[in-house]
């Protein structure tokens, strides 16, 4: 059943108002499920506040009501992905992880890592995949896959060599990093990760 008959774009979503954005993965599960649902704009990017005190070395951010003003909207505008001085907070980290350009799954029975390219127009060849297996906090195996050439909207399988006897507290961590400089990220910048128990 087609949920949307016309293209849908959210001009605002994840409007957190004083708490912090959450449930972004729920939005993107829907976006990826329905072709006509093609994204949205997080409302909003920056917490809005006035800085008082030493605004360069130790700013104190104030919102509605902090100056004795009435009526006011309290912390209505503390709903961004970054603080007023542009320092990232947890909302931006969650957003980055949710919109990463790949999805990873791992089949433990076969030792197969499946990568899906979520992009629509380009491969994943500008990224390198790094993986490591940890047992009780100690790395027991690791490796890299340089520039996996996975076409847009397709998947590819990669064998991960590991000892199947290592079943006690074993975690596979996967990280995709830039292998070429881009205007938005330098070589080595992590664009996303996944972890499997």
């Amino acid at each position: 059943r087609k949920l949307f008959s016309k293209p849908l774009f959210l001009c605002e979503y994840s409007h957190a108002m004083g708490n912090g954005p959450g449930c972004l993965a729920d939005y993107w599960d829907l976006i990826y499920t329905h072709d006509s649902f093609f994204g949205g704009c997080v409302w909003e990017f920056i917490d809005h506040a006035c800085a008082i005190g030493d605004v360069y070395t130790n700013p104190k951010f104030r919102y509605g009501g902090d100056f004795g003003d009435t009526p006011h909207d309290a912390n209505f505008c503390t709903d961004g992905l970054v603080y007023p001085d542009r320092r990232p907070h947890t909302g931006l980290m969650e957003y980055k992880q949710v919109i990463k350009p790949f999805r990873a799954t791992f089949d433990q029975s076969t030792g197969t890592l499946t990568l899906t390219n979520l992009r629509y127009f380009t491969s994943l060849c500008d990224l390198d995949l790094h993986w490591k297996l940890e047992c009780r906090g100690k790395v027991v195996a690791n490796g890299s896959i340089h520039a996996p050439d996975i076409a847009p909207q397709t998947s590819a399988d990669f064998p991960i060599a590991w000892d199947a006897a290592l079943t006690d507290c074993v975690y596979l961590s996967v990280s995709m990093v830039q292998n070429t400089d881009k205007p938005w990220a330098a070589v080595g910048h992590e664009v996303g990760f996944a972890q499997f128990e």
Side-chain angles (χ1 to χ4, degrees):
R1 182 171 82 88
K2 190 171 175 97
L3 184 61
F4 307 109
S5 60
K6 296 180 180 177
L8 177 66
F9 180 82
L10 297 174
C11 64
E12 294 182 13
Y13 76 105
S14 187
H15 195 173
M17 296 193 302
N19 182 14
C23 300
L24 296 174
D26 294 338
Y27 281 105
W28 280 90
D29 286 345
L30 278 172
I31 290 166
Y32 286 131
T33 301
H34 303 283
D35 189 49
S36 55
F37 190 179
F38 63 98
C41 297
V42 171
W43 190 264
E44 50 206 310
F45 183 68
I46 302 165
D47 285 352
H48 299 289
C50 298
I52 64 169
D54 188 339
V55 298
Y56 297 107
T57 60
N58 189 23
K60 306 270 191 286
F61 299 113
R62 298 295 180 255
Y63 303 88
D66 287 341
F67 302 97
D69 51 315
T70 185
H72 59 80
D73 287 333
N75 63 353
F76 179 86
C77 289
T78 57
D79 55 358
L81 299 178
V82 299
Y83 292 103
D85 60 1
R86 310 319 193 249
R87 284 179 296 124
H89 55 67
T90 54
L92 185 60
M93 290 182 260
E94 179 187 2
Y95 185 61
K96 174 186 172 182
Q97 180 65 8
V98 168
I99 63 167
K100 66 184 183 292
F102 70 95
R103 184 164 289 151
T105 58
F106 182 64
D107 184 341
Q108 181 177 335
S109 64
T110 63
T112 302
L113 176 71
T114 301
L115 284 181
T116 301
N117 181 354
L118 299 177
R119 294 171 172 169
Y120 282 90
F121 305 105
T122 59
S123 76
L124 293 176
C125 65
D126 61 320
L127 305 174
D128 288 343
L129 180 137
H130 301 285
W131 62 270
K132 65 181 176 179
L133 278 168
E134 294 176 281
C135 183
R136 299 175 188 249
K138 180 181 175 186
V139 176
V140 294
N142 59 37
S144 297
I145 300 168
H146 177 67
D149 191 15
I150 305 170
Q153 297 292 294
T154 64
S155 299
D157 293 336
F158 301 93
I160 300 294
W162 70 299
D163 183 353
L166 295 172
T167 57
D168 187 26
C169 299
V170 176
Y171 291 90
L172 170 65
S173 298
V174 175
S175 175
M176 295 286 279
V177 300
Q178 288 290 151
N179 61 29
T180 56
D181 281 326
K182 299 288 185 181
W184 57 88
V187 169
H189 174 77
E190 182 181 69
V191 299
F193 67 91
Q195 188 175 57
F196 308 95
E197 183 176 0

